[in-house]
Amino acid sequence: MKPEAFIFDLDGVLTDTAEFHFIAWQAIARELGLDFNLEDNEALKGVDRAGSLQRILDKGGLSVSDQVFAQLLDKKNRHYLTLIQDISPDHLFDGVLACFTELKSLGIKIGLASASKNALLVLTGLGIREQFDFIGDAASVAHGKPAPDIFLSVAKGLNIKPELCIGIEDAVAGVSAIKAANMYAVGIGEPGVLTQADLVFASTAQLDIGKVLASVA
C-alpha cells in the first residue's frame, strides 16, 4: 500500500476545544437539572452535536420534543461559538505544521474529517484552513461517527480510494469510523483505549509520518 492521503480529525488531534464543549454542554445539562462532569464530556469525544445531546438526555432519563431538542442544540452551539472566538494559532498542537509540511513534500494529500459543523471557523482561527486539500462537511453526511460516512466523503472529495487513505483520530468512535471506511487507522492517545487502531501515538507531537508509512508498506 502506498498511501495517497492522510485524513485528520480536528478536535483532539490538531487542537483541543474539549474545554469549550464541556462548558457549553454543562450549561445545557444544568438547565435540564442534570449533572455533567468531565467524565461525561470525555464520553462525547467524536460524537456529533445531536448525538451528544441525546446521550445527555438518556443519562438523565429525559425526553423532549423535537422543537425543544433543536432549541437546546442551537443554544449550545451559540454558547460554544462565543467561547471559541479567541481561538488562534497558539492553540494548534505541537507537531501539526511539521506534519503537514512533510506530507506535502511527499505529495500526500491532506483531508479533514471532523464531526464539528464549526470546523471551518476553528480552522480559520488556527490559521491552517488553506493546508487542506479537502474539508469534510459534517452537515452533509447522513450518519456521524462511528459510521464511516464522513471519512468516505472526504476520500471521495479527494478523489482517492478509501483503502489508500490513512485516518488519524483520538476518539474511539472516530477510530471505529476509520476502520469501517476500510482505511488504516492511526490513533492519538492511549493504546489501551484506542484498541481498534492499527498504530497509536501518545500525542500529535509524537506522530511519526515515516513510521506510519513504513507500517503500511
Side-chain angles (χ1 to χ4, degrees):
M1 172 187 173
K2 186 178 183 301
E4 296 183 11
F6 273 52
I7 302 176
F8 292 85
D9 175 43
L10 174 58
D11 203 11
V13 174
L14 304 179
T15 189
D16 188 3
T17 60
E19 180 181 358
F20 304 133
H21 284 294
F22 173 64
I23 293 170
W25 278 129
Q26 188 177 57
I28 293 296
R30 284 175 175 169
E31 182 177 326
L32 295 167
L34 303 175
D35 289 328
F36 186 79
N37 56 37
L38 288 172
E39 185 177 339
D40 296 323
N41 195 58
E42 186 71 13
L44 301 183
K45 283 177 63 173
V47 181
D48 64 15
R49 196 184 310 154
S52 294
L53 176 56
Q54 190 59 58
R55 290 192 184 196
I56 291 171
L57 291 170
D58 289 345
K59 182 191 175 188
L62 300 178
S63 61
V64 297
S65 67
D66 290 346
Q67 181 181 2
V68 172
F69 193 90
Q71 290 172 344
L72 291 171
L73 289 180
D74 180 64
K75 182 177 292 188
K76 185 270 176 182
N77 190 49
R78 284 188 283 109
H79 191 176
Y80 172 74
L81 290 176
T82 299
L83 294 169
I84 64 170
Q85 281 181 353
D86 296 328
I87 199 164
S88 73
D90 291 337
H91 292 90
L92 198 63
F93 283 160
D94 291 342
V96 172
L97 293 180
C99 178
F100 287 172
T101 297
E102 184 172 358
L103 290 174
K104 289 180 182 296
S105 72
L106 295 169
I108 296 174
K109 292 186 176 181
I110 301 173
L112 185 89
S114 172
S116 174
K117 294 180 175 65
N118 299 308
L120 288 177
L121 178 64
V122 175
L123 292 179
T124 300
L126 292 171
I128 58 172
R129 182 171 176 174
E130 302 306 318
Q131 296 276 357
F132 294 90
D133 295 291
F134 188 83
I135 297 171
D137 180 4
S140 69
V141 297
H143 305 288
K145 303 169 186 178
D149 299 32
I150 187 66
F151 282 96
L152 292 174
S153 73
V154 175
K156 183 177 181 180
L158 291 169
N159 195 29
I160 295 175
K161 294 179 180 179
E163 58 267 28
L164 297 179
C165 297
I166 291 175
I168 301 90
E169 268 278 3
D170 73 311
V172 172
V175 172
S176 296
I178 294 171
K179 298 306 294 182
N182 196 29
M183 298 178 183
Y184 187 88
V186 174
I188 301 296
E190 297 290 336
V193 175
L194 304 175
T195 56
Q196 279 190 286
D198 298 294
L199 186 64
V200 179
F201 296 94
S203 67
T204 304
Q206 296 181 33
L207 176 59
D208 186 329
I209 299 300
K211 185 174 181 179
V212 175
L213 296 178
S215 70
V216 299

